Amino acid sequence: MQKRTQYWQVERMDTPSLLHHPGIQSAATMLKKGKVVAFPTETVYGLGGDATSEKAVDSIFKAKGRPSDNPLIVHIADTDQMKSLVREVPPIARKLMSRFWPGPLTLIFPHEDRVVPRVTAGLDTMGIRMPDHPVALALLKLAGVPVAAPSANLSGKPSPTKATHVWHDLAGQIDAVIDGGATGVGVESTVLDISGEVPVLLRPGGITRTMLEEVLGPIQTDQNMEQPVISPRSPGMKYRHYAPAGKMWLVIGEGMGIKKKVQELADQGEKEGRQVAIMTTEEHKDFYRARWVLTCGKYRQPETVAQGLYECLRQFDQLGADWIVAEGFPPVGLFHSVMNRLIKAAEGRVIHS
Ligand code: TXA
Ligand code: MG
């Protein structure tokens, strides 16, 4: 059944002023009634629902078409909310929270069975984060409940960095969208498992490995994290993800080698009668010839590439590109997160130049 999806546009203001915004107040009331609302965070748009409401959590999985073994992140506005959610907040968590919250870091804790089991997909751990976005924080404060929120896209599609992306994927399936403009970081939060003996990086995101290691010393990486298929500790990473409808190739390497290989693959697609698109950066775009050459940001400013990545992946679908060749990046800093997403978008079609 189609829902009537409400829409509010919200100017960026500080959180205290936004507490009086009629749209955010209505959205918070909806959350309290078990409805589902898409809202901006600093990373990507989330689809929020009361994590203690069966009805809300069911609606989230249904609207996204999300596999039920993929757990949701619980969003909070206040660290006091942790008390009822987790068994304990160990010293390492306190350190990370004081350094990076609010911000793009999700921490995995053993939990207290306060939320409905589907939120954690039956696991004994739960992901929690405090987003660094005034709209998200105002909404969470007014709702007063822990809010489960996956990215507000159809399962398998790139995460939404603009309200128009949410609308495209989910209008008619969800109760409301709060439009707070384009998100800042552009890739999702970093997911760090601190439930075991040593911290393990499950998903690279807005907080880089170097930033974490400055606080924690060396951390482990989930072994399969960069693989296109299975990453057992982070269930979400095993699915087809971020993928455009067309066939995508990701070329890795350095210097001229990578550029030549990208062009070679594009030419091959052209010969086969494909609608070819190349994804590159401002600095490198003039090197290439193809039907479409899209730039996702500036090579010298990795944060712009992270910001533009998902919009770029969505554009390929809009254009009707069916053969996409993406130029890879060295997997450090924010580029590490970008490459993690590109490897999944390419579904394993990674070519060494
Ligand atoms: O930036 C973000 O994290 C965004 C915004 C909306 O906050 N949310 C987001 O949620 O990206 P989602 O559902 O698209 O991705 C959540 C990821 C998945 O890979 C999931 O498997 C992992 O977090 N995750 C959640 N709970 C987990 C748990 N208990 N153990 C391991 N991984 C978990
Ligand atoms: Mg997602």
Side-chain angles (χ1 to χ4, degrees), residues 90 107-110 124-126 192-200 233:
L107 296 173
I108 307 288
F109 297 89
D124 54 12
T125 57
M126 176 195 289
L192 186 73
D193 188 350
I194 49 164
S195 67
E197 291 285 298
V198 289
V200 182
R233 287 183 71 175

Side-chain angles (χ1 to χ4, degrees), residues 128-350:
I128 305 181
R129 90 173 190 101
M130 188 188 291
D132 186 16
H133 192 291
V135 171
L137 288 172
L139 178 69
L140 293 170
K141 271 185 209 289
L142 289 171
V145 291
V147 170
S151 49
N153 51 286
L154 281 175
S155 219
K157 286 287 151 198
S159 295
T161 51
K162 293 180 176 167
T164 48
H165 303 158
V166 179
W167 197 262
H168 177 270
D169 280 14
L170 298 176
Q173 308 301 317
I174 62 178
D175 297 295
V177 178
I178 306 176
D179 183 350
T183 60
V185 179
V187 292
E188 301 87 340
S189 62
T190 298
V191 179
L192 186 73
D193 188 350
I194 49 164
S195 67
E197 291 285 298
V198 289
V200 182
L201 182 60
L202 299 184
R203 176 175 77 178
I207 300 291
T208 64
R209 184 191 190 103
T210 316
M211 289 161 83
L212 291 174
E213 290 188 333
E214 274 164 17
V215 176
L216 299 175
I219 52 172
Q220 272 188 27
T221 305
D222 185 15
Q223 262 194 347
N224 297 307
M225 189 172 68
E226 310 300 356
Q227 300 302 315
V229 247
I230 305 277
S231 173
R233 287 183 71 175
S234 185
M237 300 313 269
K238 76 182 178 211
Y239 295 105
R240 184 173 189 269
H241 247 130
Y242 317 111
K247 196 172 197 174
M248 183 166 147
W249 307 87
L250 173 63
V251 182
I252 56 178
E254 279 164 23
M256 277 313 282
I258 187 169
K259 295 196 185 75
K260 279 192 182 137
K261 192 76 205 174
V262 168
Q263 188 61 53
E264 199 181 300
L265 272 166
D267 292 344
Q268 186 191 328
E270 205 90 26
K271 265 195 214 115
E272 291 179 20
R274 302 287 198 138
Q275 304 295 311
V276 180
I278 290 177
M279 185 173 119
T280 180
T281 52
E282 286 296 330
E283 290 93 328
H284 299 170
K285 69 171 192 283
D286 292 337
F287 186 86
Y288 297 115
R289 290 167 319 280
R291 169 134 198 216
W292 299 290
V293 178
L294 298 193
T295 59
C296 52
K298 294 198 174 117
Y299 194 89
R300 283 195 202 87
Q301 292 173 296
E303 68 282 6
T304 62
V305 174
Q307 270 161 14
L309 178 69
Y310 291 146
E311 166 101 332
C312 222
L313 292 177
R314 279 177 179 263
Q315 267 177 358
F316 293 128
D317 286 358
Q318 278 166 15
L319 294 168
D322 64 3
W323 183 279
I324 300 150
V325 190
E327 188 190 308
F329 300 93
V332 287
L334 266 182
F335 280 155
H336 181 211
S337 312
V338 168
M339 284 301 281
N340 171 271
R341 307 309 190 266
L342 282 175
I343 288 168
K344 286 178 179 69
E347 298 178 278
R349 286 183 290 268
V350 179

